[in-house]
Amino acid sequence: MKTFIITGIQMRNKGSQAMFLSLSYSLKSIYGECEVIGFANKYDSPEQYTFTLLPYDDFTRPVLKNGLYKLPFLASALTHVVGRLRKSDKWRNKITEMRKALQRADAILDASGYTLGSGWPKQSGRVLLDTIAIARRFNKKIILMPQSFGPFDWGEKDDAAFSDEVRKALTYPLIIYARETEGYKCLTSLGLSNVELSADMVIREKIFPRPSQISVNYRRDEENYPTQNSVGFIINKNVFRIGDPSVVIDLYAKILQKLIDNGEKVYVLTTSTADTDLVLQVLGKVKNGQEVRVISGEFSSPELMEIIARFKYVVASRYHSVVFAYRNGVPAVILGWASKYTDLAALFHQQDYVFDIRNPNSERIMVALEKMSANYEDEAELIKESLASVQATSVVLQATSALEDQGLPATITTHHQVISARGNGQASAMTV
């Protein structure tokens, strides 16, 4: 049986969770029975899931990277100390379990969303470089699945040295899939020849599990689901980090007011609990804000996909909330800041509905809202047609085929059925 390790993931961020699920279930659709292990940061109660998660964090990663597991007494002592300091036993016996998983793994597939680029501190990028170093140590093939890269202009003295470190590390992966043209150009400008362009896995792969497939004790909570043909509004706290916070709050409030005045039934959906306080701030600036319903809670990514599928369109700032919408033929007015938003919208011919939160033009956004309100059904059909084209090929199948070409044992099969959540939250069996 094949064994794959998926790195660069976490469960609290629902976009990251969705990338893990998309990759994991696509692998199972290709190979049938295979072992998929998530090396994950930031997750709660791993026993709630139907898959294996092991703690890949600032403690275990250096131990694995530097080979400290070869000194069992030291590794055990370090685990004990960290457990006492953090008041948690999550690391107990996990170093050994992770070492054994790495030893038997057929390959490592990294599903980071965006860590390597000046939108984040260099230390975030070094997490990915550590993962590559661990793959080298255990002599494992590694593929970086579709994610964002660059730009590489932190404006710091060691930029050149760090870029050289990045270049050397990135020569090791078998393939690097860049999610956007900007990232592709950044990587190839370093002289890398192992870079390919691919859309995000969650939008490109047909396979995606239902909520009941990933949770041990799943209970459907439809009381919190929106009514059909309502409008979804999704905030992102990172927008406040990128743009002027007061301007962003006023813009959000103005958009909500416009939707209310147009007679829309509006739901604010918090896809992350980190956004809850911002929702309250925005609603405090909206006249008749009590008319806006709020959907909040710790929903899984399959649940969020079902919820978003009920909207006729959304106004969204979180990247994967737009991905979830497009997967279900739901149009979006997008308030973003990075090329990942524009490249995603371009795949579905939705460029007219993307706005840069760093320099927002509220008049243009209001015009776009009116246009979307009038044309959302036509836009939905266009998105569905585009989705068929985007999903005509599978990046996971391409990646596994490349591994096979490198001598990965056993043969790919493509006849296994798994349940895929698509279209209005309904599930259907698909053959890949």
Side-chain angles (χ1 to χ4, degrees), residues 125-157:
R126 286 196 168 95
V127 172
L128 180 57
L129 302 189
D130 285 351
T131 299
I132 296 170
I134 290 169
R136 277 183 181 271
R137 173 173 284 280
F138 284 85
N139 194 29
K140 299 298 176 181
K141 299 293 183 184
I142 181 170
I143 293 179
L144 308 190
M145 300 304 289
Q147 54 192 276
S148 298
F149 297 95
F152 301 141
D153 53 4
W154 290 266
E156 299 171 358
K157 291 181 179 179

Side-chain angles (χ1 to χ4, degrees), residues 11 20-21 24-25 28 33-38 44-53 209-218 302:
M11 292 295 112
F20 168 74
L21 295 176
S24 177
Y25 279 78
K28 291 175 182 178
E33 290 299 319
C34 66
E35 182 183 23
V36 179
I37 302 169
D44 302 299
S45 306
E47 64 276 3
Q48 70 181 292
Y49 298 111
T50 58
F51 42 79
T52 302
L53 295 176
R210 295 177 302 188
S212 59
Q213 290 178 281
I214 73 165
S215 300
V216 174
N217 297 308
Y218 172 68

